[in-house]
């Protein structure tokens, strides 16, 4: 039997990192077993769906290597509405579902407990379809439902504890549980890999599979992703959109590697590994049950390592969106005509060793392409204290007298300025760095001054001196 897995996101917002992890897990499993990856867009929530969210899903998948044309689909759940309705009608006709007009307050009044599930009141009333009547699935009164789960073993659910759940609204529109099952049957899905938050729905869906005459799929419920407070990642509270990480300058290779480590680890004492290692070694049976902590600090460190592993040419190419701007990445603060590709090429190796995300490149190199540096006022206040004016005057004079404008002579000249004032190089260069670059932290100072050039460097030293 050919393995057929699916990823079924809803286009109701930005693409969640948890969804990206699920997509990658399905993708890897399909590749390992020469199977088929199916993409289904569950677009039946007309009030919340938007075309741009669908395109966002497709482009995000492209970014992490699940590219259009390499999978089956995308299918759209709305296209299968007739199949969903037909399944509901069949279940009703076979006596496996019944209509119910109970409201929640009715159930609470009968049971005296607001936490009790539906009590089966309408099971034998013989109601037909009508306004205010939902269609409920008739769950078995006896026995148990065993879920075969590659991650969690065989979770077992007593059928008598599973309430008769709604599968279609009073207007006839099927609910997610039924639509999801019908689509999986139609697309011949035989393994469902998804987050553990869906596990409580699984016995209900498995009962629907069986009621409709099909063998249920094998399941694999992977651990939920949580934040530093061990709370489930939330769109309202946490940074969860894959697109935001992409636009901040995280590399696709970083995200793929990191997401696959949420609940699993490759062999040996290692975490950063080539993607092929993940494809070779990943096993659903080895996935942990415990919640997976999405550690942004760790992700950032990962990304820095990946950036440093790039060739300079690759680094320069990947920085391009932040040097010019795109539809989703703001334009840099300099005029397009002010950007000098040769200057950037000269300083790119210096920046590559220092940044953790590609968007930081702008703050590291903007002073090369602006007429005046964008001064960080906190850096200015810290560096331009008593004695700074004297250092700037002396440095400008020393630099102007240099016969050779390169990093080593520049450093030697500034060291002489410091020695004459019994200052270490760090203290001496602080006001010079802020005067030239606008910030107290950045690229190596003397290499930067060499590239900036004599005329512009001296002009900035004197402008800073005049401000004091």
């Amino acid at each position: 039997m050919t393995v057929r897995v699916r990823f079924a996101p809803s286009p109701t917002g930005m693409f969640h990192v948890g969804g990206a992890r699920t997509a990658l897990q399905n993708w890897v499993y399909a590749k390992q077993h020469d199977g088929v990856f199916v993409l289904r867009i569950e677009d039946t929530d007309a009030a919340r769906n938007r075309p741009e969210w669908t395109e966002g899903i497709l482009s995000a998948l492209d970014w992490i290597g699940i590219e259009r044309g390499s999978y089956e689909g995308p299918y759209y759940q709305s296209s299968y509405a007739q199949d969903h309705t037909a399944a509901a009608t069949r279940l009703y006709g076979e006596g496996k579902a019944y209509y119910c007009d109970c409201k929640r307050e009715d159930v609470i009044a009968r049971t005296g407990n607001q936490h009790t599930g539906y009590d089966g009141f309408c099971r034998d009333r013989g109601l037909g379809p009508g306004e205010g009547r939902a269609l409920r699935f008739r769950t078995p009164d006896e026995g148990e439902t065993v879920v075969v789960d590659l991650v969690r073993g065989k979770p077992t659910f007593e059928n008598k504890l599973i309430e008769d759940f709604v599968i279609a609204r009073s207007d006839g529109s099927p609910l997610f549980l039924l639509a999801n099952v019908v689509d999986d049957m139609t697309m011949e899905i035989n393994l469902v890999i998804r987050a553990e938050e869906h596990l409580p729905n699984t016995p209900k869906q498995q009962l629907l599979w069986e009621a409709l005459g099909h063998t249920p799929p094998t399941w694999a419920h992977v651990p939920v992703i949580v934040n530093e407070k061990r709370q489930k990642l939330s769109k309202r509270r946490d940074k969860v959109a894959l697109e935001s990480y992409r636009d901040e300058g995280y590399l696709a290779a970083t995200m793929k590697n990191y997401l696959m480590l949420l609940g699993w680890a490759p062999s040996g004492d290692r975490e950063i590994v080539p993607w092929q290692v993940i494809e070779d070694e990943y096993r659903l049976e080895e996935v942990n049950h415990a919640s997976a902590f999405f550690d942004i600090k760790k992700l950032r460190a990962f990304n820095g390592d990946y950036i440093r592993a790039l060739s300079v040419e690759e680094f320069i190419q990947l920085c391009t969106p932040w040097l010019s701007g795109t539809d989703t990445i703001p334009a840099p603060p300099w005029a397009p005509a002010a950007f000098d590709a040769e200057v950037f090429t000269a300083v790119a190796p210096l920046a590559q060793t220092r940044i953790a995300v590609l968007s930081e490149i702008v703050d590291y190199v903007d002073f090369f392409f602006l007429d005046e540096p964008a001064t960080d006022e906190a850096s200015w206040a810290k560096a331009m204290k008593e004695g700074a004016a004297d250092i700037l005057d002396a440095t400008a004079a020393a630099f102007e007298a240099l016969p050779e404008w390169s990093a080593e002579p520049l450093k030697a000249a500034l060291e002489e300025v410091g020695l004459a004032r019994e200052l270490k190089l760090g203290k001496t260069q602080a006001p010079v760095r802020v005067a030239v670059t606008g910030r107290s932290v950045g690229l190596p100072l003397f290499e930067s001054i060499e590239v900036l050039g004599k005329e512009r460097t001296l002009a900035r030293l004197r402008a800073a001196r005049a401000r004091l």
Side-chain angles (χ1 to χ4, degrees):
M1 181 184 297
T2 300
V3 169
R4 290 180 63 83
V5 298
R6 51 81 164 168
F7 177 56
S10 299
T12 56
M14 302 290 276
F15 191 49
H16 197 291
V17 291
R21 181 190 64 162
T22 300
L24 286 169
Q25 290 168 327
N26 278 278
W27 179 253
V28 169
Y29 194 92
K31 288 179 73 68
Q32 287 178 336
H33 295 84
D34 294 322
V36 177
F37 177 98
V38 176
L39 176 63
R40 182 173 72 236
I41 305 296
E42 300 198 331
D43 61 340
T44 52
D45 188 348
R48 297 173 62 206
N49 294 338
R50 284 160 48 183
E52 57 266 36
W53 297 139
T54 298
E55 175 56 31
I57 291 170
L58 298 178
S59 64
L61 290 175
D62 285 341
W63 184 61
I64 57 174
I66 306 176
E67 298 177 340
R68 279 172 262 209
S70 64
Y71 50 77
E72 190 175 304
Y75 299 116
Y76 293 87
Q77 190 171 65
S78 58
S79 301
Y80 297 87
Q82 290 184 341
D83 294 340
H84 307 154
T85 301
T89 301
R90 174 184 165 185
L91 291 170
Y92 173 65
E94 294 177 354
K96 298 173 182 177
Y98 60 91
Y99 282 97
C100 170
D101 61 2
C102 294
K103 297 180 175 59
R104 182 62 190 156
E105 52 265 32
D106 297 332
V107 177
I108 294 173
R110 286 195 300 267
T111 63
N113 188 338
Q114 61 178 341
H115 303 295
T116 300
Y118 180 66
D119 59 355
F121 180 78
C122 290
R123 268 192 165 199
D124 301 312
R125 292 178 65 198
L127 298 177
E131 184 177 350
R133 296 178 180 179
L135 186 64
R136 287 184 180 273
F137 181 75
R138 187 187 297 269
T139 60
D141 295 322
E142 300 177 348
E144 57 189 23
T145 296
V146 179
V147 173
V148 178
D149 193 305
L150 295 182
V151 175
R152 299 175 185 278
K154 294 184 177 180
T156 301
F157 301 83
E158 290 188 69
N159 290 334
K160 67 180 181 181
L161 300 180
I162 304 174
E163 68 176 3
D164 292 352
F165 54 92
V166 176
I167 58 174
R169 303 175 183 87
S170 59
D171 63 2
S173 59
L175 267 65
F176 163 79
L177 284 176
L178 179 62
N180 192 264
V181 165
V182 172
D183 290 344
D184 281 349
M185 290 190 303
T186 301
M187 297 169 193
E188 301 180 325
I189 303 303
N190 48 37
L191 172 63
V192 175
I193 305 171
R194 59 186 184 180
E196 68 174 309
E197 62 200 68
H198 296 287
L199 183 58
N201 288 330
T202 306
K204 298 177 182 179
Q205 291 180 304
Q206 191 157 303
L207 288 170
L208 285 172
W209 274 81
E210 293 167 349
L212 291 167
H214 289 258
T215 302
T218 302
W219 310 86
H221 289 91
V222 298
V224 70
I225 302 176
V226 297
N227 61 20
E228 69 279 359
K229 296 180 180 179
R230 297 306 187 267
Q231 301 167 318
K232 178 185 169 184
L233 285 188
S234 166
K235 290 182 179 180
R236 295 183 298 274
R237 180 185 57 239
D238 304 303
K239 180 181 175 182
V240 300
L242 188 70
E243 298 95 324
S244 67
Y245 287 98
R246 178 187 61 194
D247 292 346
E248 191 177 339
Y250 285 86
L251 304 185
T254 303
M255 290 301 302
K256 291 168 64 177
N257 188 162
Y258 184 72
L259 289 173
M260 290 299 289
L261 295 180
L262 296 177
W264 173 83
S267 61
D269 186 18
R270 55 183 179 164
E271 294 182 306
I272 297 178
V273 294
W275 181 249
Q276 189 59 51
V277 170
I278 293 174
E279 286 195 357
D280 291 342
E281 295 191 2
Y282 181 74
R283 297 291 183 271
L284 279 170
E285 295 82 357
E286 297 175 358
V287 172
N288 296 324
H289 294 189
S291 299
F293 172 35
F294 192 87
D295 187 343
I296 294 180
K297 291 180 180 178
K298 185 174 182 178
L299 173 62
R300 180 180 170 86
F302 262 45
N303 203 59
D305 288 339
Y306 267 94
I307 286 175
R308 288 185 285 279
L310 297 169
S311 68
V312 175
E313 291 74 18
E314 289 172 325
F315 176 70
I316 290 172
Q317 182 179 9
L318 288 170
C319 284
T320 299
W322 289 270
L323 301 175
S324 57
T326 69
D327 290 342
T328 58
I329 296 173
W334 56 79
F339 180 74
D340 188 326
E342 290 186 5
V343 167
F344 182 71
T345 299
V347 300
L350 306 176
Q352 185 178 357
T353 63
R354 286 163 171 76
I355 68 173
V357 291
L358 295 177
S359 58
E360 292 175 344
I361 192 64
V362 174
D363 286 346
Y364 272 88
V365 303
D366 61 354
F367 69 94
F368 289 108
F369 312 121
L370 295 169
D371 291 336
E372 298 178 358
T375 301
D376 173 66
E377 293 304 323
S379 297
W380 177 276
K382 185 176 180 180
M384 300 303 182
K385 296 179 179 178
E386 183 179 355
D390 177 49
I391 291 173
L392 293 175
D393 284 337
T395 301
F399 283 2
E400 189 167 27
L402 285 175
E404 179 188 351
W405 190 263
S406 61
E408 284 304 317
L410 287 164
K411 181 180 179 182
L414 192 58
E415 285 177 329
E416 288 295 327
V417 171
L419 285 172
R421 290 156 181 78
E422 297 183 347
L423 295 173
K424 294 183 178 180
L425 181 59
K427 291 286 187 180
T428 312
Q429 74 175 13
V432 176
R433 177 182 285 279
V434 173
V436 173
T437 72
R439 298 178 177 87
S440 57
V441 177
L443 303 181
L445 178 61
F446 304 105
E447 289 82 353
S448 298
I449 291 175
E450 177 182 342
V451 174
L452 186 64
K454 187 172 186 176
E455 181 179 344
R456 298 179 73 193
T457 299
L458 293 176
R460 292 183 180 188
L461 291 171
R462 289 166 180 154
R465 171 63 180 89
R467 180 180 168 183
L468 293 174

